[in-house]
Structures are given as C-alpha cells and as structure tokens.
Amino acid sequence: MPPTCFIGAIAEARNTPTIILKLDFHKAFDTVQWDSLVHILHYSGFSDKWCSWILNLLNTGKTSVLLNGVPGRWINCRKGLRQGDPLSPYLFIIVADVLRRLLQHPTFATALRHPLIPNDPCPVLQYADDTLIFLHCSHEAVVGTKRILMQFEQATGLSINYHKTTFLPVGAPDSTAQDLAAVF
C-alpha cells in the first residue's frame, strides 16, 4: 500500500472522516519572494554573512528566452529561484517548511488536528514541491487551512494552484465532502 494511502486506509477502517490535501504550488520555484526567503533564513538561524551570499546569488541571476534557437536579451531576475541551480531545491524546502510550521502551530491545534490522534497536530508530508496535509474532516479545519494557505501566499509569494490541488475526502458523506471542497 502506498504511504499516502496509509492514514486514509486507517481512517476509513476506524470510520474517522478525514480530508487529504495534495497541494500544487503555482509555478513553485518562480514565485518565491527573495525578501521573505532572507527573513526565513535569518529566523532559521543562518548568519548574516550566509544570507548576504544567498541574496547576492539571487540578485546576479539573469535569464534569456530562446526563440527559434536564438537567445534574446538578458533579463534580470527579481524573484524566484533558478531552476537547475543545485541550491534552489534546498532554499525552496526552507520556504515551504514555513507552511508546515504554520499548520502545526499550537495556535491552530483545536482546528487543525490529526485525524486519528486528537491531541496531535495534523500530519504534513513534504518532498520538494509536493505537500500532503491530513486533516480531521470538519468545516473548521478546512476554513483554517484555507486561511493559513492565503497568509502563506501573501508572506512568501508561493500560491496554491487550486485547479491542480487534490482534495480527497475519506469516510465523509458526499454532501459534507462537497461543502468542504467548495471552500477551496
């Protein structure tokens, strides 16, 4: 059984309604705001020197567009992480981890709780630009999650593409699932 189905299968076996969200970030690497990245690095304990190196790397990035095999003029980058740069996936993960921290913050513990263990925060699994969130099936949890996603977008530039995001209700009545899905 794939690991993503494990919590869902247990929730179904225990007759515990659960919501599984697989988030899709809209143009994930292209939308990271540099000032947010530097603030996150500082908050995470990186030194001023390290942060200035990262900012210098970002500020010196240039790109061009190939049209019929001919490169166009150079364009200075103003946000985003360079795809193909070996450091970019790590920087992206550092920014994306802020979402996990928000979702699991004690302030939201009553609304965003583990679907099977009531006193635990909701599980959040992240790999590169893929994020899975497991929620207790409730209106409060879905609305709280949506609010956090909107705040995260404003703070970091990483927005959720809701057309490509998967909303999977497990063990929830169809009418409840439809009402909750409408929030997104």
Side-chain angles (χ1 to χ4, degrees):
M1 173 181 308
T4 58
C5 298
F6 186 69
I7 291 177
I10 293 173
E12 191 170 29
R14 291 186 182 179
N15 198 21
T16 304
T18 301
I19 300 294
I20 302 172
L21 290 173
K22 185 199 173 286
L23 301 180
D24 181 83
F25 290 106
H26 179 72
K27 296 186 177 187
F29 279 71
D30 299 335
T31 58
V32 172
Q33 298 290 336
W34 294 347
D35 57 340
S36 295
L37 171 61
V38 172
H39 286 343
I40 292 165
L41 289 172
H42 275 293
Y43 182 79
S44 299
F46 289 88
S47 70
D48 290 337
K49 189 172 190 172
W50 174 263
C51 293
S52 68
W53 287 344
I54 295 299
L55 198 53
N56 190 37
L57 281 172
L58 296 171
N59 281 319
T60 58
K62 295 182 180 194
T63 189
S64 69
V65 177
L66 285 178
L67 183 60
N68 296 327
V70 179
R73 64 180 180 84
W74 288 104
I75 302 166
N76 290 327
C77 300
R78 303 217 187 274
K79 67 178 181 178
L81 303 171
R82 289 186 258 184
Q83 294 187 29
D85 184 329
L87 195 55
S88 291
Y90 298 107
L91 295 174
F92 180 84
I93 289 169
I94 289 170
V95 173
D97 188 57
V98 171
L99 177 60
R100 180 197 57 81
R101 290 177 186 219
L102 287 170
L103 290 166
Q104 293 181 335
H105 195 273
T107 304
F108 309 111
T110 56
L112 306 179
R113 65 181 202 267
H114 195 291
L116 301 173
I117 308 167
N119 295 328
D120 282 0
C122 66
V124 179
L125 304 175
Q126 293 176 303
Y127 178 76
D129 65 342
D130 291 326
T131 300
L132 286 173
I133 304 169
F134 299 86
L135 300 165
H136 179 74
C137 183
S138 71
H139 182 74
E140 184 183 23
V142 172
V143 169
T145 301
K146 175 74 183 238
R147 184 177 60 245
I148 289 170
L149 292 174
M150 291 169 48
Q151 291 170 345
F152 177 73
E153 176 181 352
Q154 290 174 347
T156 64
L158 285 173
S159 62
I160 306 301
N161 182 346
Y162 291 103
H163 296 291
K164 291 184 178 179
T165 292
T166 303
F167 180 91
L168 179 64
V170 177
D174 288 343
S175 61
T176 302
Q178 289 174 0
D179 291 343
L180 296 177
V183 171
F184 289 104

